[in-house]
Amino acid sequence: MPEPSQPALSDPTAHGADWGRHGTWQWRCHPCHWRVLGEPGHPPLVLLHGFGAASGHWRHNAAPLAAAGWCVYGLDLIGFGASSQPGPARRVRLDNRLWARQLQGFLEQVVQGPAVLVGHSLGGLVALSCSVFFPAWVRAVVAAPLPDPALLTAAEGDGIGAPRQAIWRRRLRLWSVRVLCRLLPLELIVPLIAHSPLLALGLQSAYHAPVLADGELLRLIARPARRPTAPRALRAMSIGMALRPHHATAPALLRRLRHPLLLIWGHQDRLVPPAVAQQCRRVRGELPLVMLERCGHCPHDEDPQGFHDALLGWLDGLQATASPAAAYLWGSSLPPSPPGP
């Protein structure tokens, strides 16, 4: 088992996009960037960024959560941030199953124990996936928000499994997706967007308030997009996410979920509108949902105080309950390594 590299011993930056002590951890030959802020003896909480972002996007959240008594970790998922940006591979697909396995390895080798998982957008789907595939390593999940096109067609009471397609249909779909993604000139499109005002305009669509003057935010989004390996990683995750099996989609994962899950949504979210939150509750009607006003797709960054109040209040409520789930949530025992998906 590879040993994680240790972060620098200098005092960490508490605020801003460079928050925390930084380290690089090798997972299956992929260098993965991570960071940590807070006391090592405090209960662990892992922050997972959304699509196109990185752990620096939690710039307004890490310090307040650490001050509230958590040891806060941030992980750059493979393909994003300062982590490895691999291209398409036949045997390994870059989708939420792989990111869940990466996260489980991070919990086992770096955090060295189960943790509360807090994910923004794609990070929320990864947190949900990890909680289903590797339940022993997760204590609770927060998705802010939870995106998946499959939720738009999900209905309460549907079975977990999907009708199995004929072999020729599956092969045709596989071939079509691969050909389409390989024909797209991403080596031209991605640098064009990353070095032009189009990136800022795209970023603004994720926010309700104006952010075009936020240089720190623009830099943390632009930096990984300008790496020469970014186009191939985008192609790999486009293929991987398009070809996911049904059991890796959000509706199927929600039906299998056994951990506490909190949904946090921006009322003005144009990318994943609040109607998707209601679809989540059609699948699992008991899910708590917090809607934050005057927020778009990034409630943790647009309204940090409201986000922290919702998150910490919910966690305090879990701690105060006397249920077996709460006893496990705040337990300290280390789980065995599970087989995974």
Side-chain angles (χ1 to χ4, degrees):
M1 180 184 299
E3 292 294 329
S5 61
Q6 296 300 316
L9 297 178
S10 58
D11 290 338
T13 300
H15 300 277
D18 290 327
W19 65 269
R21 292 188 176 95
H22 296 238
T24 300
W25 160 64
Q26 294 288 331
W27 182 76
R28 299 187 180 182
C29 300
H30 294 286
C32 303
H33 174 255
W34 64 283
R35 57 180 84 193
V36 62
L37 185 69
E39 295 297 326
H42 289 174
L45 182 148
V46 179
L47 301 173
L48 301 164
H49 60 82
F51 180 83
S55 52
H57 201 202
W58 299 98
R59 54 188 178 154
H60 301 315
N61 313 109
L65 294 175
W70 295 89
C71 184
V72 181
Y73 293 84
L75 173 65
D76 287 359
L77 299 173
I78 290 174
F80 299 101
S83 289
S84 172
Q85 292 182 325
R90 286 190 174 273
R91 295 182 179 274
V92 180
R93 290 181 182 169
L94 196 54
D95 62 11
N96 54 301
R97 293 174 298 167
L98 180 135
W99 290 314
R101 291 193 290 269
Q102 178 198 8
L103 176 55
Q104 185 274 324
F106 181 72
L107 292 168
E108 180 177 7
Q109 299 176 26
V110 180
V111 180
Q112 298 184 347
V116 172
L117 306 181
V118 180
H120 166 238
S121 194
L122 177 64
L125 179 61
V126 174
L128 172 62
S129 303
C130 188
S131 70
V132 171
F133 297 143
F134 305 101
W137 289 93
V138 180
R139 289 177 171 169
V141 179
V142 178
L146 179 62
D148 195 324
L151 285 166
L152 298 176
T153 57
E156 185 179 11
D158 286 351
I160 292 178
R164 188 170 180 83
Q165 292 182 332
I167 294 178
W168 71 269
R169 287 183 180 273
R170 297 202 304 272
R171 289 179 176 173
L172 177 61
R173 179 166 170 259
L174 176 64
W175 178 85
S176 301
V177 169
R178 283 180 172 167
V179 169
L180 177 61
C181 290
R182 290 185 184 277
L183 288 177
L184 286 174
L186 295 179
E187 286 73 15
L188 297 176
I189 296 174
V190 172
L192 174 64
I193 294 175
H195 290 86
S196 74
L198 293 174
L199 181 67
L201 293 176
L203 181 60
Q204 181 60 70
S205 68
Y207 282 77
H208 177 59
V211 295
L212 296 181
D214 191 336
E216 180 183 62
L217 177 61
L218 293 174
R219 285 190 297 273
L220 74 88
I221 298 297
R223 188 178 299 119
R226 291 174 179 174
R227 293 171 59 187
T229 49
R232 74 179 190 184
L234 178 58
R235 179 174 285 108
M237 64 185 71
S238 298
I239 294 173
M241 292 297 287
L243 297 177
R244 290 177 301 160
H246 178 74
H247 75 265
T249 63
L253 293 168
L254 285 172
R255 295 184 187 101
R256 295 174 58 189
L257 178 69
R258 295 295 179 266
H259 287 288
L261 169 63
L262 170 67
L263 299 174
I264 302 178
W265 231 274
H267 195 268
Q268 308 298 326
D269 192 339
R270 297 185 295 272
L271 299 184
V272 185
V276 177
Q278 300 307 322
Q279 285 294 90
C280 292
R281 300 184 80 184
R282 288 187 65 188
V283 179
R284 294 292 292 263
E286 79 280 7
L287 292 179
L289 170 64
V290 176
M291 301 293 299
L292 296 182
E293 300 293 334
R294 297 182 298 279
C295 286
H297 187 61
C298 306
H300 68 288
D301 201 47
E302 297 180 79
D303 183 9
Q305 188 59 55
F307 180 84
H308 300 151
D309 289 345
L311 169 61
L312 295 175
W314 181 70
L315 290 174
D316 287 344
L318 291 180
Q319 187 178 20
T321 64
S323 66
Y328 171 71
L329 173 64
W330 307 110
S332 59
S333 58
L334 295 178
S337 298

